[in-house]
Coordinates of all heavy atoms in Angstrom, one line a residue:
H11 N -5.6 1.4 2.5 CA -4.8 1.9 3.7 C -5.6 1.7 5.0 O -4.8 1.3 6.0 CB -4.7 3.5 3.5 CG -3.5 3.8 2.5 ND1 -2.9 5.0 2.3 CD2 -2.9 3.0 1.5 CE1 -2.0 5.0 1.4 NE2 -2.0 3.9 0.9
H48 N -0.9 -4.3 -2.7 CA -1.4 -2.9 -2.6 C -0.3 -2.0 -3.3 O -0.7 -1.1 -4.2 CB -1.4 -2.4 -1.2 CG -1.8 -0.9 -1.0 ND1 -2.9 -0.3 -1.4 CD2 -0.9 0.1 -0.7 CE1 -2.7 1.0 -1.1 NE2 -1.5 1.2 -0.8
A49 N 1.0 -2.2 -3.0 CA 2.0 -1.4 -3.7 C 2.0 -1.6 -5.1 O 2.3 -0.8 -6.0 CB 3.4 -1.8 -3.1
E52 N -0.6 0.2 -7.0 CA -0.2 1.6 -7.3 C 0.9 1.8 -8.4 O 0.7 2.6 -9.1 CB 0.5 2.1 -5.8 CG -0.6 2.3 -4.7 CD 0.0 2.7 -3.4 OE1 1.3 2.6 -3.3 OE2 -0.8 3.2 -2.6
F57 N 0.8 5.0 -10.8 CA 2.1 5.8 -11.0 C 2.3 6.1 -12.4 O 2.8 7.1 -12.9 CB 3.3 5.0 -10.3 CG 3.2 5.1 -8.8 CD1 2.2 5.6 -8.0 CD2 4.2 4.5 -8.0 CE1 2.1 5.7 -6.6 CE2 4.2 4.4 -6.7 CZ 3.1 5.0 -5.9
M73 N 8.3 7.6 -3.9 CA 7.3 6.5 -3.7 C 7.9 5.1 -4.0 O 7.7 4.3 -3.3 CB 6.0 6.8 -4.3 CG 5.3 8.0 -3.9 SD 4.8 8.0 -2.1 CE 5.7 9.3 -1.5
H77 N 8.7 1.9 -1.7 CA 8.2 0.6 -2.0 C 9.4 -0.4 -1.9 O 9.2 -1.5 -1.3 CB 7.5 0.5 -3.3 CG 6.2 1.1 -3.2 ND1 5.3 1.0 -4.3 CD2 5.5 1.8 -2.4 CE1 4.1 1.7 -4.0 NE2 4.2 2.2 -2.8
I80 N 10.6 -0.9 1.7 CA 9.6 -1.6 2.5 C 9.7 -3.1 2.1 O 9.8 -4.0 2.9 CB 8.2 -1.1 2.3 CG1 8.0 0.3 2.9 CG2 7.1 -2.1 2.7 CD1 6.8 1.1 2.4
H110 N 5.3 6.5 4.7 CA 5.0 6.4 3.3 C 3.3 6.6 3.1 O 3.0 7.3 2.1 CB 5.3 5.0 2.8 CG 5.0 4.6 1.5 ND1 5.7 5.2 0.4 CD2 4.0 4.0 0.9 CE1 5.1 4.7 -0.8 NE2 4.1 4.1 -0.5
F111 N 2.7 5.9 3.9 CA 1.1 6.1 3.7 C 0.8 7.6 3.9 O -0.1 8.1 3.3 CB 0.4 5.3 4.7 CG 0.2 3.8 4.3 CD1 1.1 3.2 3.4 CD2 -1.0 3.1 4.6 CE1 1.0 1.9 3.0 CE2 -1.2 2.0 4.1 CZ -0.3 1.2 3.3
E114 N 1.5 9.6 0.9 CA 0.4 9.4 -0.2 C -0.8 10.1 0.1 O -1.4 10.7 -0.9 CB 0.3 7.9 -0.4 CG 1.4 7.1 -1.0 CD 1.3 5.7 -1.2 OE1 0.4 5.0 -0.5 OE2 2.0 5.1 -2.0
Ligands
FE2_1 FE1 2.7 3.1 -1.7

Side-chain angles (χ1 to χ4, degrees):
H11 280 196
H48 171 77
E52 289 176 344
F57 294 2
M73 293 300 115
H77 281 184
I80 289 164
H110 178 75
F111 275 35
E114 289 181 342

